[in-house]
Amino acid sequence: MLGSSRDRAVLIQIVPALALIGGGVLGSRFHPQQRLRGIIAHLVGGLVLGTAAADLMPAASRSGHLLALAVGFCLGFSLLLVINAVLTEPKAAETAQQLRPLLILLLPFLVDSLIDGLVVGISSDATDHGWIIPLAVALEMGFTAVGVGTLLGRGAGRWRSTLGGALMAALYLVGLGISGSLANWLKGPALTGLLAFGTAALIYLVIEEVMKEAHADGEDDSGVVNLAFFVGLLVVWLLDAAQLS
């Protein structure tokens, strides 16, 4: 029984990689409408923030290693702030005029995929609802891959979109593998620090990437779209309350 449960957990953790590959393939063929993009982005934001509040933060707090918690959290958002400052995404107009090298275009997304794999591996083993983060990340990364694939497909063959999604999936799996190899010694302060790091990374992802993109000029900002955020929060809250009752 334990073996089958472990197999299911591994399969769920691989779902984001499949979403990345699928998103890369669809990138040059499928263009989601504004309302669908907004609903998915807000739903993912609610699911991820709800899981951070209901699962990741309590799991890190239970250990009592306050210094490790503070250091891990500060390192998490500091690293992503640096990445965001150094690895900026090229502007659409600039990309339309000149075909940028594939690696330069993908570098910010490859780094993000690596961190996402690390966070999914840690959170799936340490939290009560280990399947929520992989599925929420799969939705977010899948739609990101569609957008990146569309960007890569401008002025070039569709192979760039497919290759981009495959590279992002590979880096995600590398991060997932790193988290698995660290599982044996991730105890006490080390586990607390890494959980705090992952919490900061997910919060930054939602606020600075998912929600900012969802509220950019030209996107659907209607009440129905914004409602999806609270639906995501409510789903996690109900799951947590049902387990405690």
Side-chain angles (χ1 to χ4, degrees):
M1 186 67 179
L2 291 176
S4 61
S5 177
R6 179 61 182 173
D7 291 341
R8 286 195 297 270
V10 171
L11 288 175
I12 292 174
Q13 291 174 2
I14 295 176
V15 169
L18 300 178
L20 282 168
I21 295 173
V25 172
L26 290 175
S28 60
R29 299 173 174 85
F30 173 66
H31 304 280
Q33 296 181 348
Q34 290 178 339
R35 176 154 294 187
L36 177 59
R37 288 200 307 266
I39 289 174
I40 293 296
H42 283 74
L43 181 64
V44 169
L47 287 170
V48 173
L49 283 185
T51 303
D55 277 356
L56 287 175
M57 295 177 74
S61 301
R62 281 194 293 265
S63 66
H65 301 290
L66 300 183
L67 179 60
L69 189 154
V71 171
F73 190 82
C74 291
L75 285 177
F77 70 77
S78 297
L79 175 62
L80 289 170
L81 283 172
V82 171
I83 292 173
N84 186 58
V86 175
L87 304 177
T88 55
E89 181 182 354
K91 295 180 180 179
E94 178 182 320
T95 306
Q97 297 173 358
Q98 180 181 5
L99 189 62
R100 300 291 298 275
L102 179 63
L103 185 59
I104 294 177
L105 280 169
L106 275 179
L107 194 54
F109 302 101
L110 293 176
V111 174
D112 183 60
S113 298
L114 180 67
I115 294 175
D116 283 344
L118 186 62
V119 170
V120 166
I122 298 165
S123 62
S124 297
D125 293 332
T127 60
D128 296 325
H129 308 300
W131 56 272
I132 297 179
I133 286 292
L135 293 185
V137 168
L139 286 171
E140 180 266 324
M141 296 178 80
F143 275 85
T144 297
V146 170
V148 174
T150 302
L151 181 66
L152 293 174
R154 294 173 182 169
R158 290 178 176 177
W159 67 269
R160 284 168 57 93
S161 300
T162 304
L163 180 59
L167 288 174
M168 292 167 67
L171 264 293
Y172 168 83
L173 291 175
V174 169
L176 193 63
I178 291 174
S179 70
S181 64
L182 297 178
N184 292 331
W185 66 271
L186 278 181
K187 300 176 182 178
L191 178 59
T192 299
L194 212 46
L195 284 171
F197 179 93
T199 301
L202 286 175
I203 293 174
Y204 184 93
L205 172 70
V206 171
I207 295 175
E208 289 296 326
E209 294 189 27
V210 177
M211 299 307 295
K212 183 180 287 187
E213 183 68 22
H215 288 272
D217 292 338
E219 294 296 328
D220 191 334
D221 195 26
S222 62
V224 174
V225 171
N226 291 321
L227 181 63
F229 178 84
F230 296 95
V231 171
L233 281 174
L234 181 60
V235 167
V236 177
W237 197 353
L238 288 175
L239 287 172
D240 194 59
Q243 185 178 16
L244 294 176
S245 62

